[in-house]
Amino acid sequence: MSAEDYIVNGHRVSRLDVIKSTVENFIKQRQSDRIGLVVFGSQAYTVCPLTTDHAWLLQNLRQVRLGRH
């Protein structure tokens, strides 16, 4: 996920950054849906349980980093 093999606006970006941008766009289109966020690598980690508070969900999404337990 740390590989910077995408180019966005002339800059190399990581796979994680591309995924976070895609997920953010998805959340913004689902205004009345309850959405949760689980990230995983060697273990699953609940970043945000199901919620309709998309501002809080997006804030938690933006804080996702590699290597976080």
Side-chain angles (χ1 to χ4, degrees), residues 13-39:
V13 295
S14 71
R15 294 175 183 185
L16 179 62
D17 290 333
V18 171
I19 289 170
K20 287 168 57 173
S21 175
T22 302
V23 171
E24 183 171 339
N25 290 334
F26 174 82
I27 292 168
K28 289 178 179 179
Q29 294 176 19
R30 309 301 300 186
Q31 295 177 359
S32 61
D33 290 352
R34 290 177 21 168
I35 302 173
L37 180 62
V38 176
V39 297

